[in-house]
Every structure is written in C-alpha cells, then in structure tokens.
Amino acid sequence: MASVTTVAPTAATKSASKSGKTSVPGRGLRLTGYYLILLIIVIVFITPYLFSLFAAFKPLGDILGQSPARPPTSPTWANFRQIFTQDDFGRYLANTLLVTVILTIGQVTFSMMGAYAFAKMEFPGRDALFWMYLATLMVPNVVTLVPLYVMFAKAGLLNTYWAIFLPYTLGVPQAVFLMRQNFMTIPKEVMEAARLDGCSESRILWRIVVPISKPIIITATLLAFVFGWNNFLWPLIVTNSNSLNVLSVGTANLNSNFADQWNLVLAASLVALIPMVILFAIFQKYIVRSISLTGINR
Amino acid sequence: MSVAAVTTGLGKPKSSEATPAADRRRIRTAFAFLAPSLVGVVLFLVIPVILVIILSLTQWNLLTPLKWVGFSNYANIFKYDAFGHSLLVTAYYVVLNIPIQTVVALGLALLLNNKLRGSAFVRIVAVLPFLATPVAMSVVWTWFFDPTNGIVNQLLGHIGIAGPAWLSDAATAMPIVAFANIWQYAGYNMLFFLAGLQAIPPSMYEAASLDGAGKLSQFRRITLPLLRPALLFVLVTGVIGSFQVFDTAFVLTNGGPGNATTVANLNIYNTAFQGFRIGEASAMSVILFLVILVVTVLQFTYFNRRTTYEMV
C-alpha cells in the first residue's frame, strides 16, 4: 500500500489548490482557519509531553506555584537524581531494557522461523496448525492472565526475569501471521533455485528471505519492542520484589506511594516516555507504515 | 540434500524433493523452524484457554487443595463480587470511548488527507501517543486533572469556573479514563482511515461532482461506504481492546470513586491477585471472553449485512 505520508489529494483539496491560483476571496481566511485547527491538534498531542518535561526539571514548589506552560527558570536534575538514588529507577530502567530486548529478539526470531515454515515449506498438518495459530490470534490477553499466572506459580517461576518475558518470547501468532503474509509474496522460484544450489533452509531464511523482507522484520521488531516496554499488568502480577520491577511497575508504585510529589512521579514517567519518543523520532516512517500493515493483514 | 536435488533437478520442482530421505529431512527442518513458536502458542495460549475453563469450576487459593464446585462460581461472582456491575462499568467505558475515538480518528483523517504544508507533520504528531507507556501517561493525566494543582482546573479557574474533582467524582472519573484512551489511540486509528481514503480513486469524486453531487452527498455515498473495511477494523480492534482496559483505570482511579470505574479486568485482577480466589477470577475471565466474542461476532454480522444490502 502507498505510504501514508504521501497522500493523494482528494477532490476537495485539489479544487482548493486550483482556486488558490486565481485568488478566490476567502481562501486565505479558510487556510488560516485550517492552520489554527492544526495548531490546536498539535497542542493537544504535545502538551502532556511538554508540560511534564518542564515539570520534571522544576522543584516541587515551582510545579505547584507556576503555570505548567512555563519552562523551568533554573532547570534542576534533582528530581531525576532522587528517583535514581533514593528509589531504584536505574535498576528499573535496566530491567526494562533487559526484558524488552530479550522479548524482542526472541519474538521476532522465532516468529520469523515459524512464518517461514508456514509460508515456504511443506509438512504434514501445516494447514491445521496454521488454523490453530489463527484461532489463538482471537484470544484476548485477559483470558490467559489467571491461568498463565497459575502455570508460572506452579513452575516456580514467579519473581524471576523469565516470568516477565517468557510468554511473549517464543513467538506470538500476531507476528507469525504478519511475517507469513509477507513471505508468501516471495516467488517460490527464489527458494527452489537456492535449494537446487544446495542451500540449507536456514541459509535460505537468513541469507535470502531476511534481507528482502527487512521492512516487515523491522515492523515486527518495533511492535515487539513497544509492547515489551509498555507492558504493565503481566509484570505487575508475576513480580513482587523491588529488584525485578520494570519501569511501568516502578512508576505505578511510586505514584501510589508519593501521589502528591509531582516532581518525582513526573520525572519517573518521563524515564519511560522519553525513550519511546526517541524511538518514534528515529523510526517514525516505519512505525506509521507498520501500523497500517497490521491493519491490512488482519 | 544437494545430491538428491541435483540428480532429479531437471524435473518439476515438486519431484526434485520427492526422495523419501530428503522429504523426511525437509519435514524435520520445517518442524524445527516451527518448534519455538508452536511451543509458545500451545503453552501460553492454547493450554491457558483450556485451563481457565477448568479453573473456573474450582475453588482454589493456590495453597490449599483445589476443590471442585461446578458452575457455582458463575453465579457467585454476580452475587458477591459485583461482576455484573463491573461488566456494566466496562460497557459504559466502551460506549464512551469507541464512538468518540472513531469519530475523532475519522475527523483527523479527513482533515489531514491532503498535501498542504504542515499536514504531514501533524499526522506524525497525532500518532506519537500510540507509543506512550499507558502507566506513565496516566500519571501525567493524574496531574493534569488534579483538583487543585492540575492545569485543567487552573485554566477553568481563569475563566471563573470551579472545576470538579475530576478523578474522584463519580460523574467525571470514567470520562477521564476514556479520554486518556482516546488521546492515545485517535492518531493510531486515523492511520487506518487515511489508508482507506487513499484507496478511493479520485475519479469517483470527479464523476460524482459532474453528476452534481454536493460535498455532503459525496461523503455519504462514496467516502463512508468505501471506508467501511477500515471502519470495521477500527471498531472491532477498538472494542476488543476496550473491554480489557486495565492500565489507565488502575493508575488514574484504581476503580474508584467507590467502584465507579472498577472495570471487569480490574475486578479480575483484584479477585485473583489481591484475594487469591483463582476460581472466581477464572469464571470472570471466561464470561468476559464470551462477551468480547459475542460483541465481535455481532459487529461482523452487522457490517456484512449492511454491505450486502448496499450492494443489491
């Protein structure tokens, strides 16, 4: 599909730009109105980030006493210093990175291998198994929450790193499906030629399929990473020790213990939010496209 | 493998793999590729779905021996755990959330579907919240809607309005939870409408305006019908997600005030992980699953019927 950033003009905007050259009265006014609306939209989406950024660098007194729209007059790292030293946000950040990276690498690699098997290999029971994957795609997360917890409890895995990432690391049907649909479009002849040349299947996957499927793999990687980073309910229930907290759980705890210390809880929130903003800034085109891809494929 | 392939390599590709040994090896490789995700799907999705049904027929706190109680949990959760109330609360959330979110997303798509300078930037900005950690963003909203120190009430104060105690007022708490979700996913859903809009050939609008159709009638007769697949997707995924809302409700209100925002998922969480009543929580999960299933099927049937009707 076409990328969203290059949008074909609709009839409406076409006629608008045509009439612009013949300077119809009122066009300037309409355009001003349009940009006013755009400005409001940008304010609505940016303000929560911007104001919490300002607040995180202010002492509590300034947060309470000043307009949130005012940048900090003398920016201070004190809030961050406090949550990193008196609370354990350095640890939470490291934990989050660790489990998210493991989850992402595992999920993408294993889903990719499964997707390749479904798309390009023949084996007995393939269609039945694929239907099973499709069926599990419909299972809402909330349904598996309690039984998964019971399973992890009985396996003695509660309060371990394993518990946090394992359910999402061996491959998930969403990612398998996403990549399988993409691999299906690779002509069969490519694989057959490689097989005739004596390529093993794993060599075909890593040397041929992966390089030509880079966009979809980046897509799956981004989706897995964002999921892992933002995940809250599952880490909340399978861990209850401070040393295993991820950022989302640590932030929620801090918020319920120090609800009125806006300087601290907002600084903590930013530790989780800012990396996602940076990720978005770097991969913005991929993310926009990947969202559209997941929509088309489902 | 290479030997087998070379010796019969001139035939059809299918026959080149037909020697039993090579075949067996190919099948082994395929299953080796499939194994990790298959283990994942079976262990973490298929078995839990079966297990949750079994557990829903028991009384168990994970420590004492498990006791079979038949279907009594299904009655008890409505009698003693206000599960009916939390389903209604969830439905209220869905009804607040989905229509507004869909209209906002569609409005953004229609507004930004052009090549004017700045539109591309605003499209990107609107998608940014999709990545925001819901827990962290909920903390920010808690601050925004704080009765005394929040910017919302400060602004309202400037124009002489005493704002409510948003999150601890039963009338406004749920709308704020819905707002947090709409803010996060409006831009995300906009992308599906944008993709749908781009798929409409401009010639259709040109033909329509030659026939004298006005903007509004073009929108109703061309844009809306052709956006139906995007609309179905946005509604179905939105509704499935909304029925499972947790993070925002947990941080913003923790179910309060009273139990005005105790959505089903929060009730399940409290029952299972605060009260350690696994059987009751499992029964709740099963019912919520059925509710989601029924609502999803209803949406598909409704859309299918409408589509055939229009095409006749």
Side-chain angles (χ1 to χ4, degrees):
Chain A
M1 54 152 286
S3 114
V4 174
T5 38
T6 56
V7 179
T10 62
T13 55
K14 242 187 203 165
S15 63
S17 57
K18 236 182 274 161
S19 60
K21 277 164 197 124
T22 51
S23 88
V24 171
R27 182 176 184 260
L29 205 66
R30 282 230 316 266
L31 215 56
T32 314
Y34 180 72
Y35 281 112
L36 211 63
I37 296 172
L38 291 200
L39 184 68
I40 293 169
I41 295 172
V42 171
I43 289 173
V44 167
F45 286 122
I46 292 292
T47 304
Y49 288 102
L50 195 65
F51 286 6
S52 47
L53 187 70
F54 289 167
F57 287 97
K58 292 178 184 176
L60 183 60
D62 284 1
I63 298 176
L64 301 179
Q66 294 176 350
S67 159
R70 197 150 120 206
T73 34
S74 47
T76 166
W77 287 98
N79 303 324
F80 291 98
R81 213 175 300 132
Q82 193 171 341
I83 61 167
F84 274 89
T85 55
Q86 280 167 38
D87 210 317
D88 233 352
F89 269 77
R91 175 99 197 202
Y92 307 161
L93 181 62
N95 285 345
T96 309
L97 261 176
L98 178 75
V99 296
T100 305
V101 166
I102 295 175
L103 182 153
T104 305
I105 293 174
Q107 186 179 113
V108 174
T109 311
F110 295 140
S111 301
M112 189 173 70
M113 287 161 57
Y116 178 75
F118 277 129
K120 291 295 168 199
M121 298 181 81
E122 276 165 35
F123 54 91
R126 184 178 75 174
D127 292 349
L129 283 173
F130 188 64
W131 276 107
M132 187 181 81
Y133 276 54
L134 277 187
T136 57
L137 206 60
M138 320 283 170
V139 177
N141 270 329
V142 60
V143 178
T144 58
L145 196 71
V146 176
L148 267 185
Y149 176 85
V150 170
M151 289 164 67
F152 274 85
K154 287 295 149 193
L157 284 174
L158 291 185
N159 259 322
T160 61
Y161 284 113
W162 290 95
I164 306 176
F165 62 76
L166 203 54
Y168 317 102
T169 303
L170 292 181
V172 293
Q174 287 86 346
V176 173
F177 187 61
L178 186 71
M179 288 190 268
R180 183 253 188 193
Q181 297 306 88
N182 192 267
F183 294 167
M184 294 286 274
T185 62
I186 302 171
K188 212 160 77 187
E189 288 73 25
V190 175
M191 277 81 192
E192 256 140 30
R195 278 169 198 156
L196 285 180
D197 284 347
C199 261
S200 71
E201 293 297 328
S202 38
R203 233 181 118 81
I204 297 177
L205 175 59
W206 290 104
R207 293 294 164 80
I208 299 172
V209 175
V210 169
I212 58 178
S213 309
K214 231 184 234 157
I216 199 75
I217 290 165
I218 295 177
T219 292
T221 308
L222 287 168
L223 289 175
F225 194 88
V226 173
F227 170 85
W229 188 271
N230 290 342
N231 202 6
F232 172 59
L233 179 51
W234 179 250
L236 175 72
I237 62 175
V238 293
T239 59
N240 62 5
S241 78
N242 204 46
S243 61
L244 284 172
N245 276 354
V246 288
L247 279 173
S248 58
V249 177
T251 306
N253 286 346
L254 189 76
N255 186 50
S256 58
N257 294 333
F258 299 97
D260 291 328
Q261 310 262 7
W262 296 117
N263 54 333
L264 299 184
V265 294
L266 290 172
S269 301
L270 278 179
V271 177
L273 290 173
I274 293 297
M276 289 292 106
V277 175
I278 295 170
L279 190 80
F280 187 75
I282 299 171
F283 291 105
Q284 161 258 109
K285 279 210 179 96
Y286 273 107
I287 289 166
V288 166
R289 195 183 49 199
S290 64
I291 295 169
S292 315
L293 277 175
T294 56
I296 301 298
N297 276 324
R298 267 183 210 165
Chain B
M1 157 139 192
S2 57
V3 177
V6 168
T7 47
T8 56
L10 292 172
K12 284 211 146 263
K14 190 89 185 152
S15 65
S16 75
E17 299 141 14
T19 56
D23 245 10
R24 237 176 294 132
R25 196 160 38 199
R26 291 275 304 276
I27 292 169
R28 252 206 323 268
T29 317
F31 275 105
F33 275 33
L34 202 60
S37 67
L38 189 59
V39 169
V41 165
V42 170
L43 206 55
F44 301 128
L45 284 164
V46 177
I47 290 178
V49 169
I50 299 166
L51 193 58
V52 77
I53 298 170
I54 297 172
L55 288 171
S56 76
L57 307 174
T58 71
Q59 217 163 58
W60 195 29
N61 64 3
L62 286 166
L63 300 171
T64 56
L66 176 151
K67 198 171 103 202
W68 292 99
V69 293
F71 285 91
S72 65
N73 285 335
Y74 286 92
N76 288 341
I77 53 173
F78 286 95
K79 233 187 282 174
Y80 304 116
D81 295 309
F83 189 61
H85 180 265
S86 58
L87 280 181
L88 284 179
V89 166
T90 312
Y92 175 49
Y93 170 78
V94 173
V95 167
L96 274 178
N97 185 25
I98 296 299
I100 300 178
Q101 174 182 292
T102 309
V103 169
V104 171
L106 180 59
L108 283 172
L110 291 169
L111 189 74
L112 298 173
N113 184 28
N114 59 51
K115 281 182 163 166
L116 292 176
R117 193 174 308 196
S119 297
F121 173 72
V122 180
R123 282 197 296 267
I124 297 298
V125 167
V127 182
L128 173 63
F130 168 62
L131 270 72
T133 310
V135 168
M137 204 36 95
S138 297
V139 170
V140 176
W141 293 129
T142 314
W143 175 49
F144 267 52
F145 288 100
D146 186 85
T148 46
N149 302 312
I151 181 181
V152 176
N153 276 4
Q154 280 177 13
L155 282 179
L156 287 174
H158 285 310
I159 52 170
I161 298 173
W166 300 99
L167 290 165
S168 42
D169 186 325
T172 48
M174 191 55 105
I176 302 297
V177 178
F179 164 79
N181 191 77
I182 293 165
W183 180 86
Q184 177 143 24
Y185 293 110
Y188 165 78
N189 285 317
M190 167 196 77
L191 290 177
F192 302 113
F193 288 126
L194 276 174
L197 286 174
Q198 286 165 50
I200 302 175
S203 58
M204 291 191 80
Y205 292 106
E206 280 152 24
S209 57
L210 281 181
D211 286 347
K215 284 273 153 58
L216 195 69
S217 124
Q218 286 180 24
F219 177 72
R220 270 193 27 229
R221 309 252 169 133
I222 301 173
T223 313
L224 271 189
L226 288 174
L227 280 183
R228 188 163 289 153
L231 186 61
L232 177 66
F233 177 81
V234 166
L235 285 177
V236 166
T237 53
V239 166
I240 292 176
S242 295
F243 267 106
Q244 304 181 69
V245 58
F246 181 83
D247 298 11
T248 44
F250 183 84
V251 176
L252 284 170
T253 57
N254 199 10
N259 52 8
T261 56
T262 307
V263 288
N265 204 356
L266 204 53
N267 201 343
I268 293 172
Y269 168 81
N270 288 331
T271 308
F273 308 112
Q274 305 293 311
F276 286 95
R277 294 184 298 129
I278 298 298
E280 287 87 342
S282 299
M284 291 179 185
S285 308
V286 172
I287 299 220
L288 187 58
F289 188 12
L290 291 179
V291 170
I292 293 174
L293 208 63
V294 167
V295 174
T296 306
V297 169
L298 281 179
Q299 289 179 87
F300 271 105
T301 8
Y302 176 77
F303 268 77
N304 278 342
R305 208 187 57 210
R306 284 290 300 255
T307 311
T308 11
Y309 174 73
E310 298 272 327
M311 275 157 70
V312 166

